[in-house]
Amino acid sequence: MHTREEKLEAFGRFLDVLDELREKCPWDRKQTNESLRPNTIEETYELCDALVRDDKKDICKELGDVLLHVAFYAKIASETGDFDMKDVCDRLCEKLIYRHPHVFGTVKAETAGQVCENWEQLKLKEKDGNKRVLSGVPAALPSLIKAYRIQDKARNVGFDWEEREQVWDKVKEEIAEFQAEVAAMSPEKAEAEFGDVMFSLVNAARLYGINPDNALERTNQKFIRRFNYVEDHSLKQGRNLKDMSLEEMDALWNEAKRQE
């Protein structure tokens, strides 16, 4: 791996390149916070996709794209005198040092759970205790991730199951209530109960150390992989999927499954 000096030199070169692009490139010159925001969201999702695939080459590439956006926002802010990249780094360091008293202070934390609990308590103190526990969960988060973060923050202040096995009774209860509303042909109530089922399953995943968003994305990728196998083999046979029976597609599906 590279030395600290080499890393700093590379980061400085990157900032120099960005400065030159902002000055000389027509596209870079016209960008604003508002125009960059959609691209930032896209780049973040592309990084997340690379992480799920554990593609080291793509992870490196996508990290660069995300870093570009971080530095670009700081560059724009520096032009109006609000802040620059140094301010971003300084504030981040100050926050990290303050929220890790078990590393930079005298507080003891032996487990990751204790670190998270201390982190949440320190965040509340930063707002003199007036900040609501769930106010740190961004409203724009995708629903699945938001549910996980809501539950995790509640856990950090002690609002959680005493024993994680207790969650299964709640899961069964919510599924039964959803089934009852489906049987009663009540679409609105069924939707509400289905939301409760998903929320309880996210809770179960959290309690057993599973990130539900990662788990669902892996299943998405698995389904795509197997379905593409079915489609590819149907085309090799000169047939259309619509012309195949469910039994024939199931046979190809199971063949794809066996090859994994």
Side-chain angles (χ1 to χ4, degrees):
M1 287 289 100
H2 299 96
T3 65
R4 183 175 186 272
E5 289 72 21
E6 288 172 329
K7 294 173 187 176
L8 290 174
E9 182 181 355
F11 189 69
R13 179 184 175 219
F14 159 59
L15 293 179
D16 289 342
V17 169
L18 179 59
D19 286 345
E20 191 162 357
L21 288 174
R22 181 68 171 171
E23 178 185 351
K24 300 178 180 177
C25 174
W27 186 90
D28 288 278
R29 242 191 345 253
K30 67 180 288 190
Q31 296 313 305
T32 64
N33 287 344
E34 292 74 20
S35 68
L36 283 174
R37 181 178 175 274
N39 292 340
T40 304
I41 295 171
E42 181 180 339
E43 296 295 354
T44 303
Y45 274 105
E46 288 180 356
L47 171 60
C48 291
D49 177 63
L51 290 167
V52 169
R53 292 184 283 106
D54 196 27
D55 187 322
K56 300 299 191 297
K57 185 177 179 180
D58 270 5
I59 291 172
C60 182
K61 171 184 173 295
E62 299 302 340
L63 281 171
D65 290 342
V66 171
L67 178 60
L68 170 60
H69 281 249
V70 172
F72 212 140
Y73 289 118
K75 175 64 179 176
I76 292 171
S78 72
E79 294 167 354
T80 55
D82 294 313
F83 60 86
D84 62 16
M85 198 65 197
K86 180 181 183 301
D87 297 311
V88 173
C89 292
D90 284 344
R91 287 196 63 179
L92 176 59
C93 288
E94 289 164 9
K95 181 173 71 174
L96 290 174
I97 291 169
Y98 174 75
R99 293 188 185 175
H100 290 80
H102 54 287
V103 176
F104 301 102
T106 58
V107 174
K108 291 186 177 181
E110 303 297 334
T111 67
Q114 291 172 338
V115 172
C116 289
E117 289 174 13
N118 291 342
W119 181 282
E120 292 298 331
Q121 293 301 323
L122 288 168
K123 286 170 73 175
L124 289 175
K125 286 182 182 178
E126 288 172 12
K127 296 292 183 179
D128 298 321
N130 293 322
K131 185 177 180 181
R132 291 183 178 273
V133 173
L134 301 182
S135 62
V137 180
L141 278 180
S143 298
L144 189 65
I145 300 174
K146 186 189 293 185
Y148 184 87
R149 294 294 293 127
I150 287 170
Q151 294 168 8
D152 194 48
K153 284 189 172 290
R155 174 191 66 81
N156 285 329
V157 293
F159 191 74
D160 205 1
W161 300 97
E162 291 182 1
E163 301 292 337
R164 66 181 183 178
E165 291 77 12
Q166 294 172 311
V167 74
W168 297 116
D169 288 335
K170 187 63 176 175
V171 171
K172 292 173 185 176
E173 174 190 327
E174 298 297 355
I175 291 174
E177 291 177 359
F178 169 61
Q179 290 176 316
E181 296 301 342
V182 170
M185 302 294 287
S186 176
E188 289 186 5
K189 290 183 178 179
E191 181 185 84
E193 294 299 340
F194 185 70
D196 291 346
V197 170
M198 293 187 70
F199 197 83
S200 66
L201 285 171
V202 169
N203 216 348
R206 176 185 61 81
L207 288 165
Y208 284 88
I210 297 169
N211 183 298
D213 186 67
N214 288 347
L216 182 58
E217 180 56 23
R218 291 185 190 284
T219 295
N220 288 340
Q221 295 299 324
K222 180 170 62 178
F223 185 93
I224 291 170
R225 196 165 56 246
R226 292 178 182 176
F227 192 84
N228 284 345
Y229 182 92
V230 173
E231 187 172 26
D232 289 343
H233 280 68
S234 69
L235 292 173
K236 287 179 182 178
Q237 298 172 14
R239 304 177 65 187
N240 190 299
L241 281 177
K242 292 181 180 180
D243 299 327
M244 298 183 73
S245 67
L246 181 58
E247 289 76 15
E248 289 174 314
M249 286 190 284
D250 274 342
L252 287 172
W253 179 276
N254 289 329
E255 187 177 305
K257 188 176 179 179
R258 286 192 299 270
Q259 293 185 15
E260 291 180 350

